[in-house]
Amino acid sequence: MSLTVDLVVLTVRDDRLHVLLIERGKEPFRGKTALPGGFVRSREDSDAAALRELAEETGLDGRTLHLEQLRSYTRPDRDPRGRVVSVAYLALAPDLPLPVAGTDARRARWTPVADLGPGDLAFDHARILADGLERARAKLEYTTLATAFCPPTFTITELRRVYEVVWGVSLDARNFHRKVVNADDFLVATGTRRVPDVGRPAALYRAGGATVLYPPMLRAAAQHPVART
Amino acid sequence: MSLTVDLVVLTVRDDRLHVLLIERGKEPFRGKTALPGGFVRSREDSDAAALRELAEETGLDGRTLHLEQLRSYTRPDRDPRGRVVSVAYLALAPDLPLPVAGTDARRARWTPVADLGPGDLAFDHARILADGLERARAKLEYTTLATAFCPPTFTITELRRVYEVVWGVSLDARNFHRKVVNADDFLVATGTRRVPDVGRPAALYRAGGATVLYPPMLRAAAQHPVART
DNA sequence: CAAATAGTGTCTATCAGACACTATCGA
DNA sequence: TCGATAGTGTCTGATAGACACTATTTG
């Protein structure tokens, strides 16, 4: 039996939610699009393997990203090579340029989630991606995780775009502003401003110490997806 | 490399939160207390193994319980036998008598969670239990999962006890009543009543179709635990 | 009747959502 | 000045929490 990690790496770019995908260089599914990932080595745990694969396949440094275990996929027939259990990870990144270094990262690219069709991904990666998306959407409600999509300092409008893009809704800018500024230790004002091409400059914030968002930013009742067990 | 499942099975009994533990019959940790679980067979997935082990080791039928994957534990040194990856599951059960059938279930017993000391559990099961408890506590806020701790029909006071015992807080009975009755499709009145030894009979309810609880039952801001990644 | 538990009503502070309005920039 | 974006104020309805009060049972 083998153990792999698969990575759902999400970012917001050009007001669309993107996932990092690679083109597979080996069989099975050679040439097909898949989530980045690979085998866990004998003396590392899956967390270490996720960090290593993220660096090798995408050039990203997981220590600077939000990276959490998603869940495991264990169906005996999920990999044609035989029994391969995969531990999936969810990573959230700001809109970083992909280093096209001398690694396998040259095969990695950001793809808009909405552009993916049903059979576009290898293995059971469509399911893993769906689970990752739902986890990310749910955690925006009750945690301060939205800041993981933002650069070290960001404006409230940028933060609002994260919510809008990840949830696929539009939010009232004025109510959103009031809400996030009032939430306990969600944002810390830096005292600096960003001067845009046009319009009034926006105050810059950085993420506060809170991990739990209180009060939560609830999606409207009607927008709640049906929970999967 | 081997794959196991470990089960965090929780129930509320005598106004205390209990976890189902077994006494290990084999090495390693023979005679020591541990979570129920066992090896995943070659042609089953971990969900099937969790159901099978639940039946074999505890006599419970997982199809009638809430059973969900919790997360996986992959540290190479977590099992002295070598590399053993464990997929942990969380199960929530009403206060059922444990069938002491001809299976290994004779080693299973309900133990109050609060009675467990730091080194009482084998392997990394203390950590798995802690993760399971936090998952259960969090899900009571935003889902209708509390009904999984209740028998098919139950009173609102019984449901409130679930929240109080799992969270370790006390809740205002009157506000709780108003809140759960008003939540969308959380509870369905059966039209019947339960006559107690003393006091006014209570209306009996069964779980409604909702899986998401809206509005959520938020733990007070100050009671939110620090999130773990 | 009293004791005990179930359930309703009411008040207040807070919050969400709608939306008018003001502020500050570049051109 | 205008256009554009940032940010504040204000109103209304819903909700949470505190808690007085009523309802229905047994003994």
Side-chain angles (χ1 to χ4, degrees):
Chain A
M1 207 207 79
S2 304
L3 187 66
T4 61
V5 291
D6 285 308
L7 298 161
V8 178
V9 189
L10 302 177
T11 197
V12 172
R13 99 175 336 191
D14 303 331
D15 286 352
R16 304 181 77 186
L17 184 62
H18 287 65
V19 60
L20 194 55
L21 298 176
I22 57 133
E23 185 186 332
R24 284 185 59 80
K26 304 181 211 164
E27 292 296 340
F29 297 105
R30 180 180 184 131
K32 182 125 183 176
T33 301
L35 297 174
F39 287 95
V40 178
R41 294 178 182 163
S42 58
R43 281 205 291 276
E44 69 184 356
D45 65 11
S46 57
D47 289 11
L51 282 170
R52 179 177 52 72
E53 290 288 345
L54 193 64
E56 286 180 9
E57 293 214 312
T58 74
L60 296 172
D61 181 357
R63 293 169 303 180
T64 66
L65 268 43
H66 175 85
L67 183 64
E68 66 174 273
Q69 193 187 117
L70 185 55
R71 58 162 288 162
S72 295
Y73 299 84
T74 64
R75 277 187 37 197
D77 59 351
R78 62 176 292 281
D79 190 312
R81 289 167 293 192
R83 177 124 212 179
V84 179
V85 169
S86 174
V87 185
Y89 282 76
L90 175 65
L92 307 182
D95 184 8
L96 297 169
L98 282 183
V100 195
T103 64
D104 283 344
R106 65 188 176 283
R107 297 182 181 277
R109 58 177 185 273
W110 291 115
T111 304
V113 167
D115 290 356
L116 287 168
D120 288 352
L121 297 185
F123 303 104
D124 51 359
H125 288 184
R127 171 65 188 277
I128 297 176
L129 173 59
D131 289 345
L133 290 173
E134 179 45 33
R135 170 79 65 93
R137 287 176 177 137
K139 288 196 98 168
L140 289 200
E141 292 195 285
Y142 311 116
T143 74
T144 59
L145 214 55
T147 58
F149 284 108
C150 295
T153 66
F154 50 87
T155 65
I156 294 197
T157 295
E158 287 173 334
L159 185 66
R160 177 167 49 85
R161 291 263 183 263
V162 169
Y163 277 91
E164 291 179 329
V165 167
V166 174
W167 284 350
V169 300
S170 80
L171 299 172
D172 184 283
R174 300 156 295 184
N175 292 334
F176 182 88
H177 189 283
R178 179 164 39 86
K179 170 137 195 158
V180 296
V181 166
N182 289 339
D184 304 341
D185 204 20
F186 186 15
L187 301 180
V188 178
T190 62
T192 57
R193 295 169 163 272
R194 170 169 302 168
V195 179
D197 291 345
V198 64
R200 173 176 171 176
L204 284 165
Y205 294 82
R206 57 184 172 77
T211 55
V212 170
L213 180 59
Y214 191 86
M217 180 84 61
L218 297 177
R219 288 178 276 188
Q223 296 171 345
H224 271 281
V226 176
R228 240 194 326 256
T229 53
Chain B
M1 208 207 78
S2 303
L3 187 67
T4 62
V5 291
D6 285 307
L7 298 161
V8 178
V9 188
L10 302 177
T11 198
V12 172
R13 103 177 330 195
D14 302 331
D15 285 352
R16 302 182 78 187
L17 184 62
H18 287 64
V19 59
L20 194 55
L21 298 176
I22 56 132
E23 186 187 331
R24 284 185 59 81
K26 304 182 210 165
E27 292 297 340
F29 297 105
R30 180 179 183 129
K32 182 125 185 177
T33 301
L35 297 174
F39 286 94
V40 178
R41 294 179 181 162
S42 59
R43 281 205 291 276
E44 70 185 354
D45 65 11
S46 57
D47 289 11
L51 282 169
R52 179 177 53 72
E53 290 289 346
L54 193 64
E56 285 180 10
E57 292 214 312
T58 74
L60 296 172
D61 182 357
R63 293 169 303 182
T64 65
L65 267 44
H66 175 85
L67 183 64
E68 65 174 272
Q69 193 187 118
L70 184 55
R71 58 164 287 164
S72 295
Y73 299 84
T74 64
R75 277 188 35 199
D77 59 351
R78 61 175 295 280
D79 190 311
R81 288 168 293 193
R83 177 125 212 178
V84 179
V85 168
S86 174
V87 184
Y89 281 77
L90 175 65
L92 308 182
D95 184 8
L96 298 168
L98 281 183
V100 195
T103 65
D104 282 343
R106 65 188 176 284
R107 296 182 181 278
R109 58 178 185 272
W110 292 114
T111 304
V113 167
D115 290 356
L116 287 168
D120 288 352
L121 297 185
F123 303 103
D124 51 0
H125 288 184
R127 169 67 188 276
I128 298 175
L129 172 58
D131 290 344
L133 289 173
E134 179 45 34
R135 170 78 65 93
R137 287 175 177 137
K139 287 196 98 166
L140 289 200
E141 292 195 285
Y142 310 116
T143 74
T144 59
L145 214 56
T147 58
F149 283 108
C150 296
T153 67
F154 52 88
T155 66
I156 293 196
T157 295
E158 288 172 332
L159 184 66
R160 178 166 49 84
R161 292 264 183 262
V162 169
Y163 277 91
E164 292 180 328
V165 167
V166 175
W167 284 350
V169 299
S170 80
L171 299 172
D172 184 282
R174 301 157 293 184
N175 291 334
F176 182 88
H177 189 283
R178 178 164 41 86
K179 171 136 194 159
V180 297
V181 166
N182 288 339
D184 303 341
D185 205 19
F186 187 16
L187 301 180
V188 178
T190 63
T192 57
R193 294 168 163 271
R194 170 169 304 168
V195 179
D197 290 347
V198 62
R200 173 176 171 175
L204 285 165
Y205 293 82
R206 56 185 172 77
T211 54
V212 171
L213 180 58
Y214 190 86
M217 179 84 60
L218 297 177
R219 288 177 276 188
Q223 296 171 346
H224 271 280
V226 175
R228 239 194 327 257
T229 52

